[in-house]
Amino acid sequence: MANLLFVSGILVFYIIIFFFGFRYLPKESWQIIACVPLHKEKSGVWHGLNLTYYGFFNALAYAVGLLLVIILLGSAGVPFVGVLFLLGIVLGFCVPAASITARIVEGKKYIFSVGGASFVGILLAHWAVVFTDWFFGQLMEFSLPLYPALAAFSIAYAVGEGTGRLACISYGCCYGKPLAQSGFLLNRLFSRHYFVFTGKTKKIAYASKMDGVKVIPIQAVTSVIFILAALTGIVLYLWEYYLQAFLIPLFVTQSWRFLSEFLRADYRGSHAISPYQIMSGISLIYASTLTLYFSPVETVTVDIIRGISALWNPAVILTLEAVVLIIFLHTGRSGITFSSLEFHVDDERI
């Protein structure tokens, strides 16, 4: 019963957030969450820093992903200190990789690439688990089972990117092709379900002049596919099929990442096959190779109540708060849009 309630709770949460997110986030008013005045001109106008919903939903994506890792590994008996060291290693590489790969592939300084971060994470995850278990596990006397840990990361990645696509909808990036240029079948498929982005500060507007145009809702499709893949992985994890719980979310997400690129209109490089698609292909081959050389040998019992109980810990709560704040400030400070602010007193209210 506890397993069913856990999975059902996640499903209901995403039904609600997707219902409202897909409906409202393409609108102009859902890009900037706040403006912070920085310096004042002689004219009295303040120049402001924009804080975005892009950063908010990215922070939410990291928070949900980390929560799942803590719960799933906690349910397998891994103490939070072991999870913390593992997360520190992985996030220490993946967070900067999001901006570094975007600079390399797209030549842009003020954008982030989830594809680049996930690629680094997939290549790193196995070795991070092995190192954490060997070094910190011996030092602090805990055990970190390989495939349960890899499965937890695979599931968390699927949930994280599925959630993070809401950030893309808000910013108007990673957008789909116009329906008018998408062929008969795609037009029929998305004739009633499409996105129309509004606002000149959306990326789809200033990069492709496609604000107000019906486009394939590729971000929404990706979100739904990734969350369903994650839920499948969670069910398999709770049934203690760790290898399958690792591979299925990974194969679904990376295969769809490869295929979905053909439905996107944003710039992905100058070649027919983008660097991000190549990264997805390498990730699949790499993960398959790992499973051939490292057969699962762990016999680990899962107790979801034990995993959820692991959240009731001041260290867990403070860590999550810190990560959310760092990610929001890292990805939510807009380096492309700026604001001009004026302040005055309403004489009628004095």
Side-chain angles (χ1 to χ4, degrees):
M1 179 60 74
N3 291 348
L4 177 61
L5 290 175
F6 179 67
V7 176
S8 299
I10 296 173
L11 178 60
V12 170
F13 171 77
Y14 278 101
I15 289 174
I16 294 171
I17 197 172
F18 285 167
F19 176 80
F20 288 100
F22 297 164
R23 186 173 184 176
Y24 294 108
L25 289 178
K27 298 181 179 181
E28 183 176 11
S29 58
W30 285 86
Q31 183 176 355
I32 308 299
I33 195 171
C35 299
V36 180
L38 295 180
H39 59 271
K40 188 177 180 181
E41 298 291 336
K42 293 181 179 179
S43 62
V45 175
W46 287 80
H47 286 263
L49 170 69
N50 293 331
L51 302 176
T52 64
Y53 283 101
Y54 180 88
F56 170 81
F57 284 110
N58 269 318
L60 177 64
Y62 273 89
V64 175
L66 293 180
L67 275 171
L68 274 177
V69 171
I70 294 168
I71 291 172
L72 293 177
L73 289 182
S75 69
V78 179
F80 176 65
V81 65
V83 179
L84 184 62
F85 284 124
L86 180 60
L87 290 174
I89 295 172
V90 174
L91 293 180
F93 283 90
C94 290
V95 172
S99 57
I100 293 172
T101 52
R103 293 188 188 189
I104 294 173
V105 174
E106 302 179 47
K108 302 292 180 65
K109 183 178 180 180
Y110 297 104
I111 62 175
F112 303 93
S113 167
V114 176
S118 65
F119 176 67
V120 171
I122 291 169
L123 296 185
L124 177 68
H126 172 268
W127 307 108
V129 173
V130 171
F131 175 78
T132 302
D133 182 57
W134 169 76
F135 185 78
F136 294 109
Q138 290 188 7
L139 188 66
M140 307 191 72
E141 298 183 347
F142 65 83
S143 177
L144 186 60
L146 177 61
Y147 274 98
L150 290 179
F153 269 109
S154 181
I155 293 166
Y157 160 69
V159 167
E161 183 160 356
T163 308
R165 287 299 165 184
L166 294 171
C168 299
I169 300 174
S170 171
Y171 178 37
C173 63
C174 307
Y175 44 90
K177 293 181 177 180
L179 282 182
Q181 303 173 13
S182 299
F184 175 77
L185 289 178
L186 290 174
N187 267 275
R188 287 293 300 272
L189 183 61
F190 297 109
S191 61
R192 297 178 58 189
H193 305 286
Y194 51 80
F195 280 157
V196 175
F197 291 91
T198 57
K200 296 301 181 183
T201 55
K202 300 272 192 182
K203 185 178 181 181
I204 192 173
Y206 65 76
S208 298
K209 312 298 181 186
M210 292 200 308
D211 50 315
V213 176
K214 295 179 181 179
V215 297
I216 296 173
I218 194 65
Q219 307 99 321
V221 177
T222 299
S223 289
V224 172
I225 289 175
F226 279 35
I227 295 302
L228 291 177
L231 288 172
T232 302
I234 292 172
V235 171
L236 292 169
Y237 189 97
L238 296 177
W239 287 349
E240 300 175 10
Y241 294 108
Y242 303 116
L243 177 60
Q244 294 86 342
F246 164 55
L247 289 177
I248 289 178
L250 183 65
F251 270 73
V252 170
T253 55
Q254 297 309 302
S255 298
W256 176 247
R257 174 173 282 282
F258 185 91
L259 294 173
S260 65
E261 294 270 328
F262 296 113
L263 302 178
R264 289 171 58 167
D266 57 324
Y267 180 74
R268 314 301 291 164
S270 57
H271 302 286
I273 302 297
S274 76
Y276 296 115
Q277 288 173 299
I278 294 173
M279 291 179 194
S280 297
I282 293 173
S283 298
L284 291 175
I285 295 171
Y286 178 76
S288 302
T289 304
L290 280 181
T291 61
L292 294 176
Y293 283 94
F294 299 94
S295 300
V297 295
E298 301 102 341
T299 302
V300 180
T301 301
V302 170
D303 180 0
I304 194 62
I305 300 299
R306 178 173 58 184
I308 295 174
S309 299
L311 298 178
W312 195 247
N313 181 333
V316 174
I317 297 171
L318 291 173
T319 299
L320 287 171
E321 290 177 346
V323 170
V324 166
L325 180 61
I326 291 169
I327 296 301
F328 176 71
L329 293 177
H330 180 59
T331 63
R333 293 178 299 127
S334 179
I336 295 177
T337 66
F338 294 91
S339 53
S340 299
L341 310 172
E342 290 187 84
F343 302 96
H344 64 277
V345 174
D346 188 344
D347 294 335
E348 295 182 358
R349 298 192 178 189
I350 297 176

